[in-house]
mmCIF file of all heavy atoms in Angstrom:
data_model
loop_
_atom_site.group_PDB
_atom_site.id
_atom_site.type_symbol
_atom_site.label_atom_id
_atom_site.label_comp_id
_atom_site.label_asym_id
_atom_site.label_seq_id
_atom_site.Cartn_x
_atom_site.Cartn_y
_atom_site.Cartn_z
ATOM 1 N N GLU A 333 21.782 2.542 -31.511
ATOM 2 C CA GLU A 333 20.607 2.214 -32.447
ATOM 3 C C GLU A 333 20.136 3.492 -33.126
ATOM 4 O O GLU A 333 19.952 3.536 -34.367
ATOM 5 C CB GLU A 333 19.509 1.519 -31.669
ATOM 6 C CG GLU A 333 18.276 1.252 -32.504
ATOM 7 C CD GLU A 333 18.485 0.266 -33.612
ATOM 8 O OE1 GLU A 333 19.270 -0.675 -33.451
ATOM 9 O OE2 GLU A 333 17.861 0.431 -34.701
ATOM 10 N N ASN A 334 19.903 4.557 -32.371
ATOM 11 C CA ASN A 334 19.363 5.803 -32.902
ATOM 12 C C ASN A 334 20.357 6.384 -33.872
ATOM 13 O O ASN A 334 19.929 6.900 -34.979
ATOM 14 C CB ASN A 334 19.082 6.794 -31.816
ATOM 15 C CG ASN A 334 17.896 6.313 -30.888
ATOM 16 O OD1 ASN A 334 17.179 5.525 -31.292
ATOM 17 N ND2 ASN A 334 17.855 6.922 -29.729
ATOM 18 N N PHE A 335 21.656 6.372 -33.599
ATOM 19 C CA PHE A 335 22.694 6.875 -34.397
ATOM 20 C C PHE A 335 22.721 6.187 -35.782
ATOM 21 O O PHE A 335 22.690 6.886 -36.841
ATOM 22 C CB PHE A 335 24.072 6.820 -33.698
ATOM 23 C CG PHE A 335 25.187 7.369 -34.553
ATOM 24 C CD1 PHE A 335 25.536 8.672 -34.466
ATOM 25 C CD2 PHE A 335 25.912 6.529 -35.352
ATOM 26 C CE1 PHE A 335 26.675 9.196 -35.192
ATOM 27 C CE2 PHE A 335 26.997 6.985 -36.126
ATOM 28 C CZ PHE A 335 27.400 8.297 -36.021
ATOM 29 N N PHE A 336 22.756 4.896 -35.766
ATOM 30 C CA PHE A 336 22.857 4.096 -36.988
ATOM 31 C C PHE A 336 21.561 4.096 -37.778
ATOM 32 O O PHE A 336 21.580 4.067 -39.068
ATOM 33 C CB PHE A 336 23.332 2.747 -36.704
ATOM 34 C CG PHE A 336 24.774 2.694 -36.264
ATOM 35 C CD1 PHE A 336 25.115 2.383 -34.908
ATOM 36 C CD2 PHE A 336 25.826 2.953 -37.154
ATOM 37 C CE1 PHE A 336 26.411 2.360 -34.500
ATOM 38 C CE2 PHE A 336 27.153 2.931 -36.685
ATOM 39 C CZ PHE A 336 27.460 2.704 -35.392
ATOM 40 N N ALA A 337 20.460 4.257 -37.107
ATOM 41 C CA ALA A 337 19.173 4.351 -37.867
ATOM 42 C C ALA A 337 19.175 5.670 -38.647
ATOM 43 O O ALA A 337 18.696 5.771 -39.767
ATOM 44 C CB ALA A 337 18.002 4.339 -36.838
ATOM 45 N N ALA A 338 19.693 6.803 -37.970
ATOM 46 C CA ALA A 338 19.778 8.087 -38.657
ATOM 47 C C ALA A 338 20.754 8.040 -39.912
ATOM 48 O O ALA A 338 20.514 8.605 -40.924
ATOM 49 C CB ALA A 338 20.200 9.151 -37.681
ATOM 50 N N ALA A 339 21.847 7.249 -39.676
ATOM 51 C CA ALA A 339 22.795 7.060 -40.778
ATOM 52 C C ALA A 339 22.143 6.411 -41.975
ATOM 53 O O ALA A 339 22.398 6.857 -43.156
ATOM 54 C CB ALA A 339 24.033 6.244 -40.317
ATOM 55 N N ILE A 340 21.350 5.404 -41.802
ATOM 56 C CA ILE A 340 20.652 4.703 -42.845
ATOM 57 C C ILE A 340 19.660 5.671 -43.533
ATOM 58 O O ILE A 340 19.599 5.719 -44.784
ATOM 59 C CB ILE A 340 19.970 3.434 -42.327
ATOM 60 C CG1 ILE A 340 20.981 2.373 -41.867
ATOM 61 C CG2 ILE A 340 19.044 2.807 -43.386
ATOM 62 C CD1 ILE A 340 20.451 1.167 -41.128
ATOM 63 N N GLU A 341 18.915 6.358 -42.688
ATOM 64 C CA GLU A 341 17.883 7.309 -43.244
ATOM 65 C C GLU A 341 18.487 8.389 -44.077
ATOM 66 O O GLU A 341 17.934 8.749 -45.124
ATOM 67 C CB GLU A 341 17.093 7.886 -42.049
ATOM 68 C CG GLU A 341 15.886 8.635 -42.458
ATOM 69 C CD GLU A 341 15.159 9.247 -41.276
ATOM 70 O OE1 GLU A 341 15.130 8.535 -40.220
ATOM 71 O OE2 GLU A 341 14.573 10.338 -41.407
ATOM 72 N N GLN A 342 19.621 8.817 -43.690
ATOM 73 C CA GLN A 342 20.251 9.964 -44.392
ATOM 74 C C GLN A 342 21.275 9.501 -45.441
ATOM 75 O O GLN A 342 21.999 10.336 -46.075
ATOM 76 C CB GLN A 342 21.044 10.903 -43.384
ATOM 77 C CG GLN A 342 20.112 11.527 -42.345
ATOM 78 C CD GLN A 342 20.911 12.299 -41.298
ATOM 79 O OE1 GLN A 342 21.986 12.832 -41.604
ATOM 80 N NE2 GLN A 342 20.354 12.419 -40.129
ATOM 81 N N GLU A 343 21.310 8.136 -45.578
ATOM 82 C CA GLU A 343 22.262 7.503 -46.522
ATOM 83 C C GLU A 343 23.669 8.011 -46.331
ATOM 84 O O GLU A 343 24.454 8.265 -47.231
ATOM 85 C CB GLU A 343 21.889 7.843 -48.028
ATOM 86 C CG GLU A 343 20.475 7.196 -48.380
ATOM 87 C CD GLU A 343 20.102 7.436 -49.829
ATOM 88 O OE1 GLU A 343 20.810 8.137 -50.535
ATOM 89 O OE2 GLU A 343 19.097 6.820 -50.268
ATOM 90 N N PHE A 344 24.010 8.059 -45.024
ATOM 91 C CA PHE A 344 25.369 8.398 -44.610
ATOM 92 C C PHE A 344 26.246 7.198 -44.625
ATOM 93 O O PHE A 344 25.927 6.192 -43.962
ATOM 94 C CB PHE A 344 25.279 9.061 -43.299
ATOM 95 C CG PHE A 344 26.657 9.373 -42.667
ATOM 96 C CD1 PHE A 344 27.255 10.611 -42.958
ATOM 97 C CD2 PHE A 344 27.322 8.530 -41.782
ATOM 98 C CE1 PHE A 344 28.504 10.905 -42.453
ATOM 99 C CE2 PHE A 344 28.514 8.888 -41.253
ATOM 100 C CZ PHE A 344 29.138 10.095 -41.525
ATOM 101 N N ASP A 345 27.384 7.278 -45.306
ATOM 102 C CA ASP A 345 28.254 6.094 -45.440
ATOM 103 C C ASP A 345 29.194 6.028 -44.192
ATOM 104 O O ASP A 345 30.054 6.882 -43.995
ATOM 105 C CB ASP A 345 29.151 6.241 -46.670
ATOM 106 C CG ASP A 345 29.967 4.951 -46.989
ATOM 107 O OD1 ASP A 345 30.052 4.135 -46.117
ATOM 108 O OD2 ASP A 345 30.419 4.850 -48.124
ATOM 109 N N ILE A 346 28.986 5.065 -43.299
ATOM 110 C CA ILE A 346 29.725 5.029 -42.056
ATOM 111 C C ILE A 346 31.225 4.636 -42.307
ATOM 112 O O ILE A 346 32.020 4.839 -41.356
ATOM 113 C CB ILE A 346 29.141 3.939 -41.059
ATOM 114 C CG1 ILE A 346 29.166 2.526 -41.682
ATOM 115 C CG2 ILE A 346 27.749 4.326 -40.691
ATOM 116 C CD1 ILE A 346 28.808 1.488 -40.563
ATOM 117 N N ARG A 347 31.556 4.241 -43.559
ATOM 118 C CA ARG A 347 32.970 4.008 -43.836
ATOM 119 C C ARG A 347 33.778 5.282 -43.820
ATOM 120 O O ARG A 347 35.011 5.225 -43.706
ATOM 121 C CB ARG A 347 33.143 3.288 -45.192
ATOM 122 C CG ARG A 347 32.591 1.881 -45.131
ATOM 123 C CD ARG A 347 32.641 1.274 -46.572
ATOM 124 N NE ARG A 347 31.834 2.037 -47.493
ATOM 125 C CZ ARG A 347 31.651 1.696 -48.814
ATOM 126 N NH1 ARG A 347 32.364 0.625 -49.270
ATOM 127 N NH2 ARG A 347 30.907 2.438 -49.553
ATOM 128 N N SER A 348 33.123 6.451 -43.869
ATOM 129 C CA SER A 348 33.761 7.742 -43.861
ATOM 130 C C SER A 348 34.200 8.145 -42.382
ATOM 131 O O SER A 348 34.875 9.138 -42.208
ATOM 132 C CB SER A 348 32.898 8.824 -44.460
ATOM 133 O OG SER A 348 31.747 9.028 -43.677
ATOM 134 N N ILE A 349 33.727 7.394 -41.426
ATOM 135 C CA ILE A 349 34.063 7.663 -40.061
ATOM 136 C C ILE A 349 35.408 7.096 -39.798
ATOM 137 O O ILE A 349 35.707 5.958 -39.971
ATOM 138 C CB ILE A 349 33.045 7.010 -39.049
ATOM 139 C CG1 ILE A 349 31.650 7.700 -39.279
ATOM 140 C CG2 ILE A 349 33.515 7.234 -37.630
ATOM 141 C CD1 ILE A 349 30.540 7.028 -38.385
ATOM 142 N N ARG A 350 36.347 7.992 -39.363
ATOM 143 C CA ARG A 350 37.678 7.540 -39.027
ATOM 144 C C ARG A 350 37.976 7.482 -37.551
ATOM 145 O O ARG A 350 39.102 7.149 -37.107
ATOM 146 C CB ARG A 350 38.626 8.589 -39.686
ATOM 147 C CG ARG A 350 38.567 8.629 -41.214
ATOM 148 C CD ARG A 350 39.222 7.395 -41.809
ATOM 149 N NE ARG A 350 39.134 7.417 -43.262
ATOM 150 C CZ ARG A 350 38.338 6.593 -43.972
ATOM 151 N NH1 ARG A 350 37.570 5.795 -43.396
ATOM 152 N NH2 ARG A 350 38.286 6.712 -45.260
ATOM 153 N N ALA A 351 36.995 7.868 -36.807
ATOM 154 C CA ALA A 351 37.148 7.885 -35.291
ATOM 155 C C ALA A 351 37.273 6.505 -34.706
ATOM 156 O O ALA A 351 36.817 5.553 -35.225
ATOM 157 C CB ALA A 351 35.946 8.679 -34.712
ATOM 158 N N GLU A 352 37.930 6.460 -33.546
ATOM 159 C CA GLU A 352 37.956 5.271 -32.727
ATOM 160 C C GLU A 352 36.626 5.267 -31.951
ATOM 161 O O GLU A 352 36.215 6.266 -31.511
ATOM 162 C CB GLU A 352 39.165 5.315 -31.806
ATOM 163 C CG GLU A 352 39.430 3.947 -31.161
ATOM 164 C CD GLU A 352 40.795 3.870 -30.471
ATOM 165 O OE1 GLU A 352 41.478 4.930 -30.446
ATOM 166 O OE2 GLU A 352 41.174 2.787 -30.013
ATOM 167 N N LEU A 353 35.995 4.085 -31.860
ATOM 168 C CA LEU A 353 34.750 3.983 -31.207
ATOM 169 C C LEU A 353 34.802 3.458 -29.716
ATOM 170 O O LEU A 353 35.604 2.565 -29.477
ATOM 171 C CB LEU A 353 33.812 3.071 -32.035
ATOM 172 C CG LEU A 353 33.646 3.410 -33.462
ATOM 173 C CD1 LEU A 353 32.654 2.415 -34.163
ATOM 174 C CD2 LEU A 353 33.142 4.811 -33.673
ATOM 175 N N PHE A 354 33.949 4.018 -28.917
ATOM 176 C CA PHE A 354 33.926 3.638 -27.466
ATOM 177 C C PHE A 354 32.447 3.405 -27.049
ATOM 178 O O PHE A 354 31.569 3.954 -27.593
ATOM 179 C CB PHE A 354 34.595 4.704 -26.662
ATOM 180 C CG PHE A 354 36.032 4.941 -26.898
ATOM 181 C CD1 PHE A 354 36.491 5.811 -27.941
ATOM 182 C CD2 PHE A 354 37.027 4.289 -26.181
ATOM 183 C CE1 PHE A 354 37.810 6.030 -28.187
ATOM 184 C CE2 PHE A 354 38.436 4.443 -26.442
ATOM 185 C CZ PHE A 354 38.756 5.279 -27.413
ATOM 186 N N GLY A 355 32.366 2.628 -25.995
ATOM 187 C CA GLY A 355 31.012 2.403 -25.395
ATOM 188 C C GLY A 355 31.157 2.592 -23.876
ATOM 189 O O GLY A 355 32.182 2.290 -23.321
ATOM 190 N N MET A 356 29.998 2.970 -23.253
ATOM 191 C CA MET A 356 29.993 3.138 -21.829
ATOM 192 C C MET A 356 29.879 1.840 -21.070
ATOM 193 O O MET A 356 30.162 1.796 -19.855
ATOM 194 C CB MET A 356 28.825 4.054 -21.463
ATOM 195 C CG MET A 356 29.189 5.545 -21.358
ATOM 196 S SD MET A 356 30.370 5.876 -20.070
ATOM 197 C CE MET A 356 29.490 5.409 -18.606
ATOM 198 N N SER A 357 29.516 0.787 -21.784
ATOM 199 C CA SER A 357 29.298 -0.517 -21.057
ATOM 200 C C SER A 357 29.525 -1.632 -22.066
ATOM 201 O O SER A 357 29.602 -1.425 -23.290
ATOM 202 C CB SER A 357 27.858 -0.645 -20.564
ATOM 203 O OG SER A 357 26.937 -0.627 -21.630
#
Side-chain angles (χ1 to χ4, degrees):
E333 172 66 34
N334 292 342
F335 178 89
F336 290 108
I340 293 170
E341 186 178 329
Q342 298 175 30
E343 297 185 352
F344 176 83
D345 190 345
I346 62 170
R347 291 176 298 180
S348 63
I349 296 175
R350 298 287 180 252
E352 195 167 5
L353 305 182
F354 295 85
M356 266 298 293
S357 67

